[in-house]
Amino acid sequence: MRAVRRAALAILLCAAPVVVASAHASTGPMDRVALREVLRQHARASARGSIRLPLPEAPRASAAAANAGELGAIARAAGSTRVLVGVRDHGDLPGVARELRLLGAAPEAFTTIGVLAATVPSGAALVDALRADPRVAYIERDRELQAAADPFDALDPATGIKFTWAYDDVRAGDALLAAGGGSRRTVAVIDTGLDVTHPEFLGRVARTLDTASGTSDVSDSVGHGTFVSGLISAIDGNNIGGKGVAGNTQLIAVNAERTCTDGSRGCFSVGDVVRGIEFAIQSGADVLNMSLAGEGFTRSQARALEAAFFNDVLPVAASGNNAQRPQSPNPLEFPAAAIGGQRGGRGIGLSVAATMPNGVVAPFSNHNDFVSLAAPGASDRSCEFGVFSTLPANQPTEWDVPSSCSRVLVDASGARFAYGEGTSFAAPIASGIAALIWEVEARLASEQVAEVLTATARQRAGGGWNEFTGTGIVDGLAASARARVYDVTAPRARGTARRRGNRVSVRVGRSVDRTASGHELAGNVTYSLLVSRDGGQTFDLVRNPRPRPFTASVALRGRRRNAIVSTACDGNGNCGIKRLGRFRAR
């Protein structure tokens, strides 16, 4: 049985729990891990993985014949030289890497494309060693590229800090380097729409939906959705505007906005939000950004978030902006409070607070037991400033009304940008970094991505969790490093089943946790037993997760075959599954 892995679902303090899959199933965290993995395997849901470039290449005489001029330049280079070595077949990577190490290099393998990157002490020695090696398709210099400086990727003279300070504050550049410049994961933004004609989003919008009309027209008359999307994926180096933290990452834009009951703009109905979540899931979204909040939480919201959980989609939401509200300040707001883990524990997503450039939480940012972490979202001076992002080009927005305090800027191309404040703008920064972390380690489950981010967040003062900034400010560099060693390997589940009349005697065997070389070991294996009496559509827990193997007797019921499954899950929520048989009651 193929082992798969997932992490735990939070125990929520709200009246409507996120998990409602089975009437008889427990709603404890590790219960849901085992249940989800069994359901996913029964549905034959395939795990995503990177596709390697098809190799081998057509044979040539040697690397020298392929690029003699380049080899000459490498051989003539003085001192150490950075090179890229392409192998003919993926199986050649280890052998060629050994040759590079013998030359004094520390090669890095790009296994997707069959390339080794290295700095060699001598270009001449490299050429002599590898020019006739039949495993080598080519050798080339690792050339330096000049980035085009965007006009707002510079100091704002009005503040003395960069317009794009939020990008630097979460070390997005380091995360982008680790992820190769972007992510193959897709971020869905459920918001007020998107100006898809804005030059900062050229080629970065995968799908769109207007929930009201059912069409693909997501014109943004509020500006909020365009601003949020720019923080995630605005193009860097195009000589326009600023840059998004997730680099070359695709967006799914959902306009779920409606006119508010008081006639103002920027409100959302639960139905439209749920419709947007369903569209995002069906469209293959991996991260779900919800820069929206409200004090009510409904069963429909719970079902939508549960669907995201079972489809391995990571929801990220703004914690709320009402900490200083005159009446009833600092309310518990959803969906953030439904997805953030309690007091820094595991949740199904991330509740994001807003911080200022000095690292202090913004005064307006809601604080409670479900704040997961924080990201830039406010100014430490006037409301004129904050974080910097995109606005619709030819559409009046909320930034343009006389009461708006935010500063609006226009570049030479006529594209519009602005400052903004709010946890709404902290959430997309966390979403963008989450997409990059998933690129660094594609085998992470959605909740494991959240755990990597919370475990590596940078706390301004002291350590641990607090209700204002959660575990701290998102740190792309630290999260990338942690993702590379995170245990994503499941224990092997063991067990046997023997029928005796209309009962099945089950013995769940002990499993030893395991991990990949150089990775952490999660440990803390727990065992559970599940049964389906409807052909695998639903499962009930016969034995909740427990720290020791056990025996159990399962009664056979109903007209259909009863499928019995045992699980072994480690502390990271990586679950191995063993199908013990299918039995029909007599």
Side-chain angles (χ1 to χ4, degrees):
M1 178 60 61
R2 182 175 61 88
V4 287
R5 78 287 161 276
R6 293 290 177 266
L9 184 66
I11 300 175
L12 305 174
L13 294 186
C14 53
V18 167
V19 229
V20 292
S22 173
H24 303 290
S26 169
T27 56
M30 296 307 293
D31 303 5
R32 309 308 300 179
V33 177
L35 176 59
R36 179 173 72 172
E37 293 324 303
V38 172
L39 288 171
R40 285 171 65 85
Q41 280 215 3
H42 242 271
R44 297 181 181 176
S46 59
R48 292 178 183 162
S50 60
I51 299 173
R52 297 191 304 178
L53 181 71
L55 294 176
E57 292 184 350
R60 295 192 180 98
S62 67
N67 55 347
E70 186 73 355
L71 290 182
I74 293 170
R76 291 190 298 270
S80 62
T81 304
R82 294 183 304 170
V83 295
L84 299 171
V85 180
V87 299
R88 295 197 185 281
D89 189 274
H90 289 291
D92 294 328
L93 277 173
V96 177
R98 283 193 295 271
E99 296 292 338
L100 289 169
R101 284 192 286 270
L102 289 174
L103 293 169
E108 178 185 8
F110 302 143
T111 56
T112 301
I113 58 175
V115 171
L116 293 155
T119 299
V120 293
S122 166
L126 171 76
V127 171
D128 285 341
L130 295 184
R131 68 185 303 159
D133 193 320
R135 299 169 297 182
V136 176
Y138 62 86
I139 307 167
E140 61 187 12
R141 288 168 289 177
D142 188 2
R143 298 174 184 269
E144 183 175 87
L145 302 177
Q146 286 290 339
D150 291 335
F152 292 119
D153 190 18
L155 289 183
D156 181 350
T159 64
I161 61 175
K162 287 175 68 174
F163 289 97
T164 54
W165 67 269
Y167 179 97
D168 297 331
D169 198 46
V170 297
R171 300 208 277 189
D174 295 292
L176 276 165
L177 183 63
S183 177
R184 284 168 289 186
R185 301 287 176 162
T186 303
V187 181
V189 178
I190 299 180
D191 215 289
T192 65
L194 174 64
D195 178 4
V196 297
T197 67
H198 199 295
E200 289 283 58
F201 301 109
L202 182 65
R204 292 197 174 169
V205 182
R207 293 195 69 184
T208 60
L209 172 71
D210 177 73
T211 59
S213 66
T215 69
S216 60
D217 181 4
V218 291
S219 300
D220 184 9
S221 62
V222 178
H224 192 273
T226 301
F227 195 97
V228 164
S229 298
L231 290 165
I232 298 170
S233 207
I235 297 173
D236 183 17
N238 60 351
N239 204 34
I240 298 171
K243 52 190 176 183
V245 297
N248 188 14
T249 296
Q250 291 286 296
L251 299 172
I252 295 173
V254 177
N255 185 353
E257 186 261 343
R258 295 289 183 99
T259 303
C260 306
T261 54
D262 63 3
S264 61
R265 301 302 305 271
C267 287
F268 305 86
S269 73
V270 169
D272 283 327
V273 171
V274 169
R275 187 176 298 113
I277 293 173
E278 182 177 73
F279 175 79
I281 292 171
Q282 293 176 349
S283 298
D286 300 288
V287 181
L288 186 64
N289 189 88
M290 296 176 287
S291 291
L292 46 91
E295 295 180 50
F297 189 62
T298 70
R299 293 287 297 273
S300 293
Q301 286 175 288
R303 288 190 174 194
L305 293 172
E306 182 190 9
F309 171 77
F310 278 104
N311 283 278
D312 205 21
V313 177
L314 175 66
V316 180
S319 69
N321 301 328
N322 289 308
Q324 295 178 307
R325 189 170 65 183
Q327 278 111 25
S328 303
N330 196 43
L332 199 62
E333 297 198 57
F334 298 92
I339 60 178
Q342 186 176 3
R343 299 181 67 84
R346 286 183 177 177
I348 66 164
L350 295 169
S351 169
V352 187
T355 52
M356 301 182 287
N358 59 7
V360 176
V361 69
F364 57 76
S365 185
N366 285 14
H367 47 93
N368 52 61
D369 280 353
F370 302 102
V371 172
S372 306
L373 42 65
S379 169
D380 57 2
R381 50 190 72 193
S382 164
C383 62
E384 184 182 0
F385 306 105
V387 293
F388 185 81
S389 190
T390 48
L391 285 183
N394 301 306
Q395 174 74 54
T397 69
E398 295 299 304
W399 273 261
D400 300 299
V401 300
S403 59
S404 173
C405 176
S406 300
R407 186 172 166 213
V408 177
L409 301 100
V410 181
D411 73 2
S413 72
R416 302 199 322 141
F417 302 86
Y419 281 110
E421 290 192 308
T423 58
S424 284
F425 308 139
I429 292 173
S431 292
I433 298 296
L436 296 181
I437 298 313
W438 231 335
E439 180 70 16
V440 172
E441 177 47 83
R443 294 169 295 176
L444 289 166
S446 56
E447 300 77 31
Q448 291 175 336
V449 174
E451 185 182 21
V452 167
L453 288 174
T454 55
T456 56
R458 184 177 70 253
Q459 198 66 280
R460 178 175 175 269
W465 174 92
N466 67 62
E467 65 180 283
F468 297 96
T469 58
T471 59
I473 299 171
V474 173
D475 187 329
L477 176 62
S480 299
R482 178 66 183 275
R484 292 190 187 278
V485 298
Y486 192 90
D487 182 0
V488 292
T489 306
R492 288 192 179 94
R494 304 179 185 278
T496 58
R498 179 176 297 177
R499 179 174 186 147
R500 294 175 180 172
N502 266 344
R503 301 193 73 85
V504 176
S505 179
V506 175
R507 179 181 177 275
V508 174
R510 183 174 298 279
S511 298
V512 177
D513 196 19
R514 54 190 182 139
T515 192
S517 175
H519 286 56
E520 302 168 341
L521 181 68
N524 299 315
V525 177
T526 57
Y527 308 87
S528 62
L529 186 67
L530 301 95
V531 62
S532 173
R533 308 184 194 281
D534 58 6
Q537 297 300 311
T538 60
F539 278 83
D540 289 333
L541 280 155
V542 178
R543 292 288 185 274
N544 292 343
R546 53 196 59 195
R548 295 182 182 84
F550 56 84
T551 59
S553 180
V554 179
L556 301 177
R557 300 175 190 155
R559 297 180 179 179
R560 303 183 68 176
R561 291 185 183 274
N562 290 205
I564 300 175
V565 178
S566 68
T567 70
C569 302
D570 68 15
N572 278 359
N574 303 305
C575 293
I577 295 169
K578 176 93 180 263
R579 293 178 182 173
L580 303 180
R582 295 165 61 87
F583 308 89
R584 191 188 300 275
R586 294 169 180 166

